[in-house]
Amino acid sequence: MCINGKNFLFSPSLMCMSFLNIRNDINVLNQNFDTFHIDIADGHFCNNIILSLDYIKDIKKISKLPIEVHLMVDSPNDYIEQLAKIGVNIITVHIESIERNAIRTIDNIHSHGIKVGIALCPLTPVRYIYPLLSYIDIVNVLNVEVGFRGQPLINEMLQKIKKLSILKRTKSLNYIIQGDGGVEKNTYKKLIDVGTESFVLGRTALFSKSEILYDACNIMKSEFENALGFREEV
């Protein structure tokens, strides 16, 4: 979405969608957004188990959008080859699970022609990824505790995003700053003001807006424009 000359990216989080009408809903999302955000959790890195490789294979068959996979797992390298075979476009891994072999993991993902995201849990300082910023394509800032949907934005994360935005500008770096968690109509403006460029859309931002997903997409877009003052409430 381009507003006032600036492009913003939107990535629906598929763990938040209903599984009752997947094919039709994916077709609606295909027409409205930029990528699909698919979380995989192993029940160890966070206290949850979310989606699977087989699910991603099925989504790939009907997706017209790039697929970004967020690996909330202890051993992300165990998944890279399989995700490459499926044909995903972006793999995001947590610095907390790769810090001892981060460059090797990044190189492995890039060797398959896949973009790399690095995710930060709320308590992980930005300085942990300073040496990696010139190697990666996305920085995913977890604005909530990892693995559970529907949590409110942790406001302290705004300073983390601001720091990443300043580093990007002053060092002429090319990564995209992605906000994940706590994204909704009351936080859009806060997130944009500190430099967020890409938004993971969960239940609060998108899927709970209407039982008709087409309408939910339009409501979400309207709320985003309203938050920036480029559209009046109807």
Side-chain angles (χ1 to χ4, degrees), residues 3 6-8 10 158 161-162 165 187-199 223-225 227-230:
I3 297 179
K6 183 170 179 59
N7 286 314
F8 298 101
F10 299 96
L158 298 173
I161 295 169
K162 185 175 182 179
S165 182
T187 62
Y188 289 137
K189 185 67 164 54
K190 292 179 183 180
L191 291 164
I192 290 167
D193 285 348
V194 292
T196 308
E197 301 161 305
S198 175
F199 299 82
E223 288 180 348
F224 187 83
E225 292 178 341
L228 272 68
F230 291 110

Side-chain angles (χ1 to χ4, degrees), residues 7-26:
N7 286 314
F8 298 101
L9 302 173
F10 299 96
S11 188
S13 176
L14 297 193
M15 79 171 188
C16 298
M17 72 184 296
S18 170
F19 290 174
L20 297 179
N21 195 24
I22 290 178
R23 181 179 291 275
N24 287 339
D25 285 352
I26 289 294

Side-chain angles (χ1 to χ4, degrees), residues 22-201:
I22 290 178
R23 181 179 291 275
N24 287 339
D25 285 352
I26 289 294
N27 286 336
V28 171
L29 298 173
N30 277 333
Q31 299 171 45
N32 283 280
F33 298 111
D34 301 291
T35 63
F36 287 126
H37 188 94
I38 301 179
D39 294 298
I40 292 182
D42 60 4
H44 300 285
F45 184 81
C46 62
N47 294 325
N48 207 343
I49 297 175
I50 307 169
L51 305 183
S52 68
L53 293 171
D54 285 337
Y55 177 85
I56 297 172
K57 287 179 185 177
D58 288 341
I59 294 297
K60 178 67 177 175
K61 295 173 185 176
I62 54 177
S63 170
K64 295 182 180 178
L65 302 180
I67 293 175
E68 51 177 305
V69 176
H70 179 185
L71 291 174
M72 297 182 287
V73 300
D74 280 342
S75 302
N77 284 288
D78 293 345
Y79 295 79
I80 292 170
E81 298 296 327
Q82 297 174 80
L83 291 171
K85 289 178 181 178
I86 293 171
V88 307
N89 306 90
I90 304 162
I91 296 176
T92 294
V93 294
H94 274 266
I95 188 60
E96 298 87 0
S97 63
I98 65 161
E99 57 183 331
R100 286 180 294 180
N101 61 351
I103 296 294
R104 187 171 183 174
T105 299
I106 292 168
D107 286 345
N108 185 16
I109 297 170
H110 275 153
S111 73
H112 293 285
I114 299 170
K115 292 183 178 181
V116 176
I118 294 292
L120 298 168
C121 287
L123 291 183
T124 303
V126 173
R127 67 175 182 273
Y128 279 34
I129 63 168
Y130 282 174
L132 307 178
L133 291 175
S134 62
Y135 295 92
I136 62 178
D137 304 288
I138 295 172
V139 180
N140 175 294
V141 178
L142 267 290
N143 296 317
V144 298
E145 294 296 342
V146 64
F148 294 94
R149 63 190 184 186
Q151 299 175 72
L153 174 78
I154 300 171
N155 282 307
E156 287 76 10
M157 297 305 100
L158 298 173
Q159 288 304 310
K160 184 182 288 188
I161 295 169
K162 185 175 182 179
K163 186 175 291 186
L164 285 163
S165 182
I166 292 170
L167 283 167
K168 178 177 177 176
R169 183 174 66 254
T170 58
K171 302 293 185 182
S172 298
L173 297 169
N174 295 315
Y175 54 82
I176 292 170
I177 302 170
Q178 183 177 68
D180 189 352
V183 173
E184 45 101 358
K185 68 176 182 178
N186 295 315
T187 62
Y188 289 137
K189 185 67 164 54
K190 292 179 183 180
L191 291 164
I192 290 167
D193 285 348
V194 292
T196 308
E197 301 161 305
S198 175
F199 299 82
V200 178
L201 304 174

